[in-house]
Amino acid sequence: MMKHEGMIRKRTVWLGIAVGCYFVALLIRLLYLQVLNPEEFTAHAEALWSRNLPIEGQRGIIYDRHGEIIVNNVVAPSVIIIPRQVTDVDAVAYLLAEVLDSTFEDMYDHATNRVNVERIQPEGRKLSHEQVRVIKEANLDGVYLVNDVMRYYPHGNMLAHTLGFTGIDNQGLAGIEALYNDYLMGANGAWQYFSDAKGHALERFSDVYAPSARGMDMVLTVDARIQEIIEREADNAMARYRPDQIMILAMDPHTGAILGNTSRPTFNPAAYQAYDQEIFNRNLPIWSTFEPGSTFKIMTYAAALEEGLMALDDTFSCIGHSMIEGTRIRDWKAGGHGTQTMLEVIMNSCNPGFMHIGVELLGKELLFDYIDAFGFREKTGVDMIGESQGLIFDPAVIGPVEVATSAFGQGNSMTPLQLVTAVGSVINGGNLMTPHIVSEIRHPYTGEVLFARQPEIRRQVISQETSDTMRYVLENVGARGSGRGAFIEGYRVGGKTGTAQKPSPEGGYKANEYILSFVGVAPMDDPQILIYVAVDNPRDTIQYGGVVAAPIARKILLEALPYLGVERRTEQIEKAYIWGDVRYVEVPDYVGMEKADINEYTTYRIEFLGQGTVVTRQQPAAGAKIAEDGVIRLFLGD
């Protein structure tokens, strides 16, 4: 018995010693945390008490070349729940289900989730003003609004395919927004508040606000005014011709800077989810490849001039077709053009003449050397997503028939951007440029230029002398040849039309389906703008590029040239009129004449404005040209 009691006492002593050691160790630890190292203890405590509400960073602003905002940001609040602060779960679930167009059960799950902060997405992100108003007025415990941001497109669908769009988390998903996402994306911030385990705010702690930051700003080469013009004309052409597609591209031929770019069908970047993927994922001027038709003749013609294989006054006799290795290839004009100069060959877009240039003058090897030199077997390197490259014949496996068709733009395929870049080299002095659309990247707060794009010459394809000749040639085409539909009095416009058959998946070409195109340049003595228009399968019209595409380009140039500061010329190649063309007359000088002495019986109409007997001023001014059935306004005084 005594022995048993002794063991109990020993165990009790050892237990006491152990408990004492434990409390001593605990005391030492508390002393260490609260006296010797209080920072670590405080940091652990604050980590347990702190809650972070994310604040989205703003993306960089995108500007046009003159500083007009193309893409901006707007505040778009999102709703979050702090479940432990919710005092009426049913009320929260009912409210959010109605406001967010969701179900009570789904919102109930969000409101009772065992997390510190519950973000409701996607339906709770980027709310409308009305949704925000209803949630604010309800003022329910545990429900908060945080300031997210969303992209704002002040011009609607303008430049949609080029700009692209962003996702729910403001990440770039397409276009420039995706390609330059790392530059445009802003850094997120946070609102840090403190609460106990039940979610009650700890008043002795102040909230901490870590501001978000905006991403880099971006300046495009695009001119918003020119872009607006081509967007409008694309819409008008869609309404007038009901085509499958339309592509319009504008470029500065000297630098490769893209001034405008659009296609139809189009979409609204702010609501891209409402459109089919094949619409918003296809930037047609850089993605779509097709046979260019007669617009390609520009390069064939330039190659022959560069090699000294022909002169403009050399002659060629067209009988309406050519026989190439037993294959009869017809011209577009039944019966042919007869004997014509080589200048008239391109003015008339004579296919047999170009087969002669391609097969007999250049030959296969030289023709395809120039096709490669003009960049048709490679991508242009443009800073946009989704660029394709054409499909060009392998000269090692083709014969004279393919050489002949290649010379006038059939058989090979290419993108509009490849074609425009090549034509730019023909008229800018011979330099093949790298096209680009981003001009600068700037610091969002200081405006400091962090990156500036310089024009990049890929190579020189033809000489300055040949380029000068080609400008003269193309101005003749625009005034006296197939490009007359783009002629503008007082502006020296040059260009080339194209009427390309559409290939059939079963082989051969589709019946009565064409891509009608026009590539135009102005002014030809100092090119400032290069325009390409392609209309895919228009309805209810004559199927010629000169009838459909050239007039669209004319309307664009008619507004773009004065906007660019290009003055009207008093001298230009006179237009060769045919039946149906609008004729122009020079406006006489009426200022100082008596009203009684003015002959009102003219092809144009005269309107007298004001009181008096003498013309004091007139509109348009003397020397200008107007359509024969136009109006001259004469202002009268004493």
Side-chain angles (χ1 to χ4, degrees):
M1 184 72 179
M2 293 291 295
K3 184 178 180 181
H4 181 67
E5 289 178 353
M7 289 180 63
I8 292 175
R9 279 197 297 270
K10 279 185 180 182
R11 289 178 179 176
T12 302
V13 170
W14 282 112
L15 179 62
I17 292 172
V19 170
C21 289
Y22 172 77
F23 278 106
V24 169
L26 184 62
L27 218 69
I28 294 172
R29 179 62 177 167
L30 289 174
L31 182 67
Y32 171 77
L33 290 175
Q34 296 189 30
V35 179
L36 300 178
N37 190 20
E39 294 84 3
E40 181 181 347
F41 175 78
T42 305
H44 279 298
E46 290 183 358
L48 292 172
W49 298 329
S50 68
R51 309 286 184 266
N52 286 329
L53 301 181
I55 300 173
E56 254 186 348
Q58 295 192 33
R59 291 177 71 84
I61 299 172
I62 301 177
Y63 300 90
D64 89 327
R65 66 191 312 196
H66 297 302
E68 182 171 343
I69 293 177
I70 303 295
V71 185
N72 206 343
N73 305 291
V74 291
V75 174
S78 295
V79 63
I80 63 169
I81 300 174
I82 300 178
R84 289 178 178 175
Q85 293 183 5
V86 174
T87 56
D88 190 339
V89 175
D90 286 350
V92 169
Y94 276 121
L95 172 76
L96 295 182
E98 182 178 355
V99 172
L100 304 182
D101 193 23
S102 185
T103 64
F104 173 83
E105 291 76 17
D106 193 17
M107 293 301 107
Y108 189 93
D109 291 341
H110 282 298
T112 55
N113 198 7
R114 291 181 175 273
V115 293
N116 291 326
V117 178
E118 176 75 352
R119 181 181 282 273
I120 303 173
Q121 54 185 4
E123 58 268 53
R125 304 288 302 278
K126 322 289 187 185
L127 303 181
S128 68
H129 291 300
E130 179 62 19
Q131 289 173 310
V132 170
R133 183 190 65 79
V134 174
I135 292 173
K136 277 185 175 180
E137 289 179 355
N139 194 28
L140 293 173
D141 291 341
V143 179
Y144 294 88
L145 292 166
V146 293
N147 278 345
D148 280 351
V149 292
M150 64 185 294
R151 278 311 220 184
Y152 170 58
Y153 304 89
H155 299 278
N157 66 356
M158 188 178 88
L159 206 64
H161 293 92
T162 298
L163 295 172
F165 47 83
T166 58
I168 193 69
D169 291 316
N170 260 4
Q171 76 280 22
L173 297 180
I176 285 173
E177 295 276 27
L179 185 61
Y180 287 92
N181 186 65
D182 290 345
Y183 294 94
L184 292 168
M185 193 75 176
N188 290 338
W191 167 37
Q192 185 182 41
Y193 72 97
F194 298 87
S195 65
D196 60 21
K198 294 184 177 180
H200 301 128
L202 299 176
E203 296 181 359
R204 59 197 179 97
F205 287 94
S206 299
D207 292 355
V208 178
Y209 177 72
S212 60
R214 197 171 85 213
M216 301 301 171
D217 291 341
M218 182 171 289
V219 180
L220 303 183
T221 60
V222 169
D223 190 304
R225 176 60 183 142
I226 293 175
Q227 184 68 32
E228 287 171 354
I229 295 169
I230 67 175
E231 297 278 4
R232 182 196 67 212
E233 292 307 322
D235 287 336
N236 291 342
M238 285 294 289
R240 166 66 180 83
Y241 298 113
R242 298 180 295 113
D244 294 340
Q245 300 175 143
I246 286 180
M247 292 155 270
I248 304 179
L249 184 63
M251 180 185 288
D252 179 341
H254 292 290
T255 64
I258 294 173
L259 303 177
N261 177 51
T262 194
S263 60
R264 296 292 182 275
T266 188
F267 69 100
N268 183 351
Y272 70 92
Q273 303 96 328
Y275 300 83
D276 292 337
Q277 241 184 14
E278 64 180 18
I279 292 178
F280 61 67
N281 271 346
R282 295 177 178 178
N283 190 348
L284 296 180
I286 71 167
W287 176 84
S288 182
T289 60
F290 50 88
E291 296 179 9
S294 295
T295 53
F296 184 82
K297 292 173 181 176
I298 295 172
M299 277 58 72
T300 303
Y301 203 90
L305 287 178
E306 177 70 12
E307 293 297 320
L309 299 173
M310 68 180 191
L312 300 186
D313 56 359
D314 288 350
T315 59
F316 173 80
S317 182
C318 172
I319 61 174
H321 68 272
S322 289
M323 296 298 298
I324 308 294
E325 280 200 337
T327 300
R328 182 188 178 103
I329 304 177
R330 295 178 298 171
D331 188 28
W332 65 269
K333 182 180 181 182
H337 296 91
T339 300
Q340 54 192 329
T341 66
M342 295 308 292
L343 178 57
E344 291 171 329
V345 164
I346 190 170
M347 286 168 50
N348 296 327
S349 199
C350 174
N351 285 347
F354 276 87
M355 287 185 268
H356 166 69
I357 295 173
V359 176
E360 299 178 28
L361 298 185
L362 286 168
K364 178 171 67 174
E365 183 176 341
L366 201 50
L367 174 63
F368 278 85
D369 282 348
Y370 273 97
I371 287 174
D372 291 349
F374 279 117
F376 293 113
R377 211 183 291 274
E378 61 189 4
K379 293 182 180 181
T380 66
V382 69
D383 49 343
M384 289 194 279
I385 282 180
E387 182 182 15
S388 301
Q389 70 181 65
L391 184 61
I392 305 298
F393 285 134
D394 180 354
V397 298
I398 63 172
V401 171
E402 289 78 13
V403 175
T405 59
S406 295
F408 63 79
Q410 192 175 75
N412 296 310
S413 68
M414 55 201 62
T415 67
L417 183 61
Q418 284 180 304
L419 182 73
V420 168
T421 306
V423 174
S425 71
V426 170
I427 53 91
N428 72 5
N431 296 317
L432 186 70
M433 307 300 297
T434 299
H436 60 282
I437 201 163
V438 173
S439 174
E440 293 178 350
I441 295 176
R442 296 177 179 174
H443 192 282
Y445 304 116
T446 67
E448 178 188 358
V449 177
L450 305 176
F451 166 82
R453 181 68 178 262
Q454 301 300 320
E456 178 185 342
I457 300 174
R458 291 155 70 189
R459 55 183 165 269
Q460 184 162 11
V461 185
I462 59 174
S463 66
Q464 179 71 56
E465 182 181 2
T466 300
S467 181
D468 293 342
T469 302
M470 285 301 301
R471 289 204 298 272
Y472 170 77
V473 167
L474 292 175
E475 187 176 359
N476 273 276
V477 177
R480 301 165 54 213
S482 61
R484 288 188 306 273
F487 182 85
I488 303 174
E489 283 287 346
Y491 290 113
R492 299 176 61 177
V493 178
K496 186 74 188 71
T497 57
T499 304
Q501 290 178 280
K502 294 179 65 173
S504 170
E506 291 77 29
Y509 293 90
K510 295 180 180 179
N512 302 317
E513 287 196 26
Y514 300 88
I515 297 177
L516 309 182
S517 61
F518 178 78
V519 58
V521 187
M524 294 311 296
D525 55 336
D526 182 22
Q528 298 295 306
I529 184 170
L530 175 58
I531 289 281
Y532 179 79
V533 177
V535 184
D536 183 354
N537 191 29
R539 275 81 169 177
D540 306 324
T541 184
I542 298 173
Q543 298 292 320
Y544 286 117
V547 174
V548 175
I552 296 173
R554 181 183 186 277
K555 291 176 183 177
I556 295 169
L557 292 172
L558 198 56
E559 291 189 53
L561 291 172
Y563 167 74
L564 292 172
V566 177
E567 296 182 356
R568 288 182 178 270
R569 272 55 167 170
T570 56
E571 295 182 1
Q572 66 181 131
I573 297 174
E574 292 294 327
K575 183 175 181 179
Y577 290 98
I578 62 174
W579 184 85
D581 284 346
V582 176
R583 293 179 178 270
Y584 292 83
V585 294
E586 186 172 320
V587 175
D589 187 356
Y590 289 103
V591 176
M593 290 184 63
E594 293 282 343
K595 177 182 178 182
D597 296 333
I598 295 173
N599 178 17
E600 297 183 50
Y601 298 99
T602 59
T603 58
Y604 48 84
R605 291 188 297 112
I606 292 179
E607 289 184 0
F608 293 103
L609 302 172
Q611 304 297 319
T613 59
V614 178
V615 177
T616 57
R617 63 187 180 92
Q618 67 181 64
Q619 187 182 38
K625 290 189 176 183
I626 63 169
E628 279 187 329
D629 59 351
V631 178
I632 298 177
R633 294 175 176 84
L634 303 181
F635 297 85
L636 300 175
D638 294 326

